[in-house]
Every structure is written in C-alpha cells, then in structure tokens.
Amino acid sequence: MVDVVILLIVAVILVFAVRGTIKHFKGEGPCCGGGSTGTVKEEKKKLEHDKIGEKVIRIQGMHCDNCRRSVTNALNDIEGVSADVSLRKNRAVVSYDRPVEDSRLRAAVEQAGFHVLSIQ
C-alpha cells in the first residue's frame, strides 16, 4: 500500500514537471528570473527620422518573454534603431533611420546573451 502512495506522488510530480518544461520551451512560462509573462506593457521605440531600411536578425537562445525583452532593449539602445522581436519566430525585425553595421547589431544581441544565426 505504501508503494502505491509513493508511486502516485511521484507520478503527480512528474506531470507538473513535464507541463512546466513544455511551457518553458514554448516561451509561455516564467524563466530567466522574471515572474509571469505579459505583465509589463512595452511601448515600441519610434525612430527620430524616416525609416531608410529594415533587417531581419535570426536569433538562437530566447526561451521566454524576458529573453525577448532583453534582446529588444539591447537593440533599441542603438541610436537610430527600432526593434520588433518575435519569440515564436526567433527573430528580430530591425528598422533603422541611419546606416547601421551588421556587426553592431550582432554585438548588441550577443552582449545580451544570445546567438545570432544570420542577419539579412
């Protein structure tokens, strides 16, 4: 009888652990030290001048909304750049109002702790 109770407790713990892991890798759960997702409303950064171009950065390593915010903030800290980062698509669409080097975009993302796969 004791064995059955222990097995039930272990089974319940495993169910919760698997659910949490699945949510984490879908980007729906809290991770990276930041509470629940969707609690902070962000305003899109506006460019000072007319947009002259757009680049798409494919990013590896984002798992949650806090990761997405880190990348967004890192890119938006670059003068003349406005970023729209998608966690689901693992990419950032960067609009710019002045020339910006790919190496500068790559450095910002990598300093935030993520890996750039490509910039187009």
Side-chain angles (χ1 to χ4, degrees):
M1 182 66 171
V2 174
D3 291 339
V4 172
V5 172
I6 292 173
L7 284 175
L8 285 174
I9 291 171
V10 170
V12 169
I13 291 171
L14 280 174
V15 167
F16 283 108
V18 169
R19 281 182 43 198
T21 301
I22 290 169
K23 284 179 109 178
H24 170 79
F25 284 108
K26 284 176 136 181
E28 296 171 353
C31 81
C32 305
S36 63
T37 61
T39 57
V40 176
K41 194 82 167 163
E42 292 180 48
E43 286 189 35
K44 185 171 167 97
K45 179 181 173 184
K46 299 201 187 295
L47 297 174
E48 296 174 18
H49 306 287
D50 292 335
K51 178 174 120 175
I52 63 168
E54 192 173 88
K55 295 183 182 190
V56 177
I57 306 170
R58 296 210 43 239
I59 302 166
Q60 183 179 32
M62 294 189 298
H63 298 291
C64 68
D65 203 49
N66 295 308
C67 297
R68 183 192 60 78
R69 266 190 234 116
S70 294
V71 172
T72 301
N73 291 338
L75 290 168
N76 283 344
D77 282 346
I78 299 172
E79 196 170 321
V81 169
S82 174
D84 181 19
V85 180
S86 171
L87 179 62
R88 298 245 184 253
K89 294 180 180 179
N90 290 313
R91 73 175 191 187
V93 177
V94 176
S95 301
Y96 49 93
D97 64 5
R98 60 197 79 176
V100 59
E101 296 291 324
D102 289 355
S103 60
R104 192 160 181 207
L105 297 172
R106 181 181 301 275
V109 172
E110 290 181 351
Q111 275 188 321
F114 304 94
H115 180 67
V116 174
L117 298 174
S118 67
I119 300 176
Q120 301 171 334

